[in-house]
Amino acid sequence: MTPSPNSVGAVIPQTMHFDQPLDFRSGTRLDAYDLVYETYGALNSARSNAVLVCHALNASHHVAGWYAGEPDNIGWWDNMIGPGKPLDTNRFFVIGVNNLGGCFGSTGPKSINPATGEPYGSDFPVVTVEDWVEAQARLADRLGIVRFAAVMGGSLGAMQALQWPLSYPDRVGHALVVACTPRLSAQNIAFNEVARQAIVTDPDFHGGHYYRHGVVPRRGLRLARMIGHITYLSDDVMAERFGRELRDGHIKFGYDVDFQIESYLRYQGDKFSDYFDANTYLLITRALDYFDPAADHGDELARALARAKASFLVVSFTTDWRFSPARSREIVRALLDNKADVSYAEIDAPHGHDEFLLEDARYHALVRAYYERIAGTMGSGA
Amino acid sequence: MSAILTLLRADFALIESWIAPGSRVLDLGCGDGTLLARLKRERGVSGYGVDIADANVLASLERGINVIQSDLEAGLSTFGDNSFDTVILSHTLQAMRHTKRIMQEMARVGREGVVSFPNFGFVKNRKQVAAGRMPVSEEMPYQWHDTPNVHLCTMADFDQFCTDLGMAVIDRRAFTDNRELAEGDPNLLGALAVYRFRKR
């Protein structure tokens, strides 16, 4: 992969240290923590053009551009964000942040617990989408951003974009909610549970304190990624890309790789287990499971969303069976019930849940048009 | 298509006159959002356009209106009961399969409905049928084999349809050559019919 022509270029992650304790939904508290983030573009003088981009399960603060000396280390949403791109960094000041509990520099299970002098491991608090939004709001405070022009995300990132107008109704103008669901289904939770079981039953897991043993539960993490990956792709795209194609041209009457899809999943699993932290995986899948804004409102999503003042763009993809269009329509229905400003697009695209990361012309044109609208309402002050 | 657009604008002006300032409007089959954008600008309405086509959703978004991508044939389940003052179905009814259901759905989600459609009873259409051919006109510029229109009707048919569905017709007008018909039998002389109705 090479950087796209309209890249933000070489970027440098930054770290913000926080000393004010953060109380989590679970009742636990973190006395101090770091958040790693990147920014692209420039904050205008009115401070009205900031956009927060929230990451999903396995991504990070590295949203766009590349790192000096690592031209292949391209941000996970580089096709969406950059000069002249749908989220145009010539007009918007874009922030990507690694969430708490992550494994890319923000305080998480890998970080040293000051109480023990050892990594937190499984002692790291179970964080929720609401907790992440709280931490992001504190980062915004420190960056001098009172109100975001927009908060945007796909999948778990979209849950944060949806939570923002609920946690801080006056601090976000627009929410772009892509490939989202208002709550996980039993099936979604089931897949997460299989992934977690793969990790916690790995003999190298050591109750989450594998760091002190100098090992990582690689086999579990690998399986977790494999099962997750299946849910990100549509049946059609798997059929098209792999079908029943055999790696070596013939079946071998054994249990090693026969089919290309097996080879692909193993490769994805291996790659993932090289860089991702198992405790973070557990924690993030739990954040997914627990996200349920309607739970405190008699299971009525419309009531939960009543406090939102933002305008919304909700986008789903027809072949996404993980968070299907029907789930996005629940969000739209709840917003409509509140007479909110909402637009909804259901894009007929082949790739399943992963489509939100891909460069689909219709999808990108919609996002571009929506940011055009946002730009028209935010005032320049540039 | 430009002839249709010109003609549509004639019914747009009438529809606009039926919309109370500041009211809530749902525009079904909103196309590129022209009508709703106009109502927003001229009448200060709030509301949504609904369309199934990707290009129309994008155009509506670019025009600055709220748009919901949805298939009208599947009903309006995304919209709650009585959530709009007016529900508009402009130049779309004749191309719908579930004609009865969309009328009932319009009555469910809105206080009033507005429907416009090409009047099959228009004299030029009758003449073409009398001459043994399917009508092709400005309002129905399609050959029989490539038309999206599946449920064409006359104004007399639609009057009966409203009665059967328990809808009260508040107003009905006809347009020909981009002008509102001032006198004569609209079912004979009107090319485009525009109805305003509500639940009885």
Side-chain angles (χ1 to χ4, degrees):
Chain A
M1 212 157 83
T2 50
S4 61
N6 302 321
S7 171
V8 297
V11 296
I12 301 169
Q14 300 168 75
T15 302
M16 190 79 81
H17 180 74
F18 296 82
D19 275 323
Q20 11 153 215
L22 188 59
D23 291 311
F24 292 119
R25 235 184 91 194
S26 63
T28 48
R29 163 181 286 197
L30 211 53
D31 288 324
Y33 53 93
D34 291 334
L35 290 177
V36 175
Y37 64 100
E38 289 178 10
T39 69
Y40 324 105
L43 188 61
N44 63 18
S45 59
R47 298 168 185 266
S48 62
N49 68 334
V51 175
L52 177 67
V53 176
C54 305
H55 70 75
L57 208 164
N58 61 315
S60 71
H61 52 282
H62 187 34
V63 179
W66 68 86
Y67 294 144
E70 297 177 68
D72 292 334
N73 193 345
I74 298 166
W76 58 271
W77 223 350
D78 192 73
N79 61 27
M80 182 68 85
I81 295 149
K85 288 184 179 166
L87 174 44
D88 188 348
T89 51
N90 289 329
R91 309 168 93 171
F92 293 97
F93 177 64
V94 180
I95 301 168
V97 55
N98 184 211
N99 282 323
L100 275 180
C103 53
F104 297 107
S106 291
T107 302
K110 276 200 310 192
S111 310
I112 299 298
N113 180 352
T116 63
E118 279 196 66
Y120 283 97
S122 50
D123 295 334
F124 195 85
V126 173
V127 296
T128 62
V129 168
E130 292 91 323
D131 299 327
W132 283 334
V133 167
E134 192 58 38
Q136 291 160 358
R138 290 187 180 187
L139 178 65
D141 292 342
R142 294 277 287 275
L143 295 174
I145 296 157
V146 176
R147 186 172 191 269
F148 282 109
V151 179
M152 177 185 195
S155 190
L156 175 58
M159 291 176 177
Q160 295 157 61
L162 182 59
Q163 181 61 40
W164 253 96
L166 310 184
S167 293
Y168 290 101
D170 295 314
R171 294 191 71 174
V172 50
H174 297 261
L176 288 84
V177 176
V178 183
C180 194
T181 177
R183 52 158 52 137
L184 260 58
S185 66
Q187 187 192 47
N188 293 145
I189 296 170
F191 277 113
N192 282 348
E193 173 59 4
V194 174
R196 282 189 294 268
Q197 282 297 308
I199 290 169
V200 302
T201 58
D202 185 320
D204 285 335
F205 184 63
H206 297 288
H209 293 289
Y210 42 87
Y211 316 97
R212 66 170 71 130
H213 297 271
V215 293
V216 293
R218 187 178 299 278
R219 286 160 291 185
L221 200 50
R222 188 166 170 268
L223 274 177
R225 179 59 171 173
M226 287 168 79
I227 188 106
H229 213 88
I230 294 168
T231 69
Y232 305 149
L233 299 178
S234 69
D235 191 21
D236 283 352
V237 82
M238 267 203 198
E240 189 196 323
R241 272 165 72 176
F242 308 104
R244 292 178 54 83
E245 196 180 329
L246 297 165
R247 192 178 62 174
D248 299 321
H250 56 92
I251 56 170
K252 290 175 287 188
F253 299 96
Y255 302 107
D256 204 351
V257 169
D258 271 350
F259 296 95
Q260 283 292 11
I261 182 63
E262 297 172 311
S263 171
Y264 173 79
L265 285 178
R266 289 185 190 197
Y267 170 76
Q268 290 293 337
D270 286 340
K271 196 172 70 167
F272 189 68
S273 64
D274 281 342
Y275 72 84
F276 208 83
D277 181 69
N279 282 315
T280 292
Y281 200 92
L282 296 178
L283 175 153
I284 292 185
T285 56
R286 260 307 188 225
L288 276 160
D289 292 353
Y290 288 167
F291 182 69
D292 186 4
D296 290 337
H297 297 85
D299 282 337
E300 286 182 37
L301 187 62
R303 278 177 53 200
L305 301 189
R307 58 188 285 115
K309 295 178 185 170
S311 299
F312 289 81
L313 176 66
V314 179
V315 179
S316 71
F317 303 101
T318 50
T319 54
D320 183 352
W321 58 275
R322 179 181 170 90
F323 299 161
S324 72
R327 309 313 308 275
S328 282
R329 284 197 296 267
E330 290 174 36
I331 297 170
V332 172
R333 170 72 201 248
L335 290 168
L336 289 171
D337 284 348
N338 283 299
K339 304 185 186 337
D341 271 325
V342 53
S343 286
Y344 171 61
E346 198 168 298
I347 295 169
D348 188 11
H351 294 97
H353 190 60
D354 255 0
E355 191 80 38
F356 86 88
L357 293 167
L358 304 178
E359 201 170 339
D360 179 288
R362 289 159 301 171
Y363 164 42
H364 276 205
L366 284 167
V367 173
R368 181 184 294 277
Y370 197 73
Y371 273 110
E372 195 72 37
R373 183 188 298 193
I374 296 172
T377 59
M378 71 190 177
S380 76
Chain B
M1 286 302 282
S2 63
I4 296 181
L5 285 180
T6 317
L7 193 70
L8 274 172
R9 294 212 169 90
D11 73 321
F12 283 5
L14 173 66
I15 292 170
E16 186 187 314
S17 74
W18 286 344
I19 303 293
S23 61
R24 288 185 52 78
V25 172
L26 184 64
D27 184 6
L28 304 175
C30 66
D32 66 4
T34 304
L35 174 60
L36 192 54
R38 172 178 174 156
L39 295 175
K40 200 175 155 186
R41 193 177 60 239
E42 303 296 328
R43 282 287 192 260
V45 305
S46 58
Y48 312 89
V50 178
D51 211 286
I52 182 77
D54 290 339
N56 286 336
V57 172
L58 177 61
S60 295
L61 209 58
E62 286 172 339
R63 218 172 268 278
I65 66 164
N66 293 320
V67 59
I68 306 295
Q69 187 162 28
S70 183
D71 182 4
L72 297 179
E73 300 286 7
L76 303 174
S77 60
T78 320
F79 300 96
D81 296 355
N82 302 310
S83 43
F84 296 93
D85 296 305
T86 306
V87 183
I88 300 168
L89 187 67
S90 170
H91 229 86
T92 302
L93 186 80
Q94 76 281 358
M96 290 202 58
R97 293 188 181 278
H98 301 100
T99 319
K100 200 173 185 177
R101 182 160 75 192
I102 195 64
M103 289 286 289
Q104 287 162 337
E105 282 286 81
M106 288 174 75
R108 179 182 65 79
V109 303
R111 213 164 40 79
E112 278 186 17
V114 171
V115 166
S116 68
F117 58 88
N119 175 28
F120 203 83
F122 181 45
V123 61
K124 285 187 181 172
N125 297 335
R126 296 191 195 195
K127 280 182 182 167
Q128 290 182 65
V129 172
R133 300 294 300 270
M134 284 297 284
V136 177
S137 65
E138 272 187 19
E139 303 77 47
M140 300 185 295
Y142 306 101
Q143 294 297 326
W144 64 271
H145 52 83
D146 69 357
T147 179
N149 298 333
V150 291
H151 283 141
L152 290 161
C153 68
T154 70
M155 289 180 77
D157 291 329
F158 196 76
D159 289 340
Q160 184 63 51
F161 189 51
C162 287
T163 305
D164 294 347
L165 290 176
M167 311 287 180
V169 174
I170 305 165
D171 204 343
R172 73 203 260 279
R173 312 280 183 98
F175 289 81
T176 305
D177 294 335
N178 211 20
R179 273 194 302 276
E180 194 178 332
L181 199 67
E183 53 187 23
D185 177 8
N187 192 37
L188 187 65
L189 304 176
L192 179 77
V194 191
Y195 278 71
R196 182 182 182 187
F197 63 91
R198 60 174 160 72
K199 276 163 288 199
R200 211 187 292 279

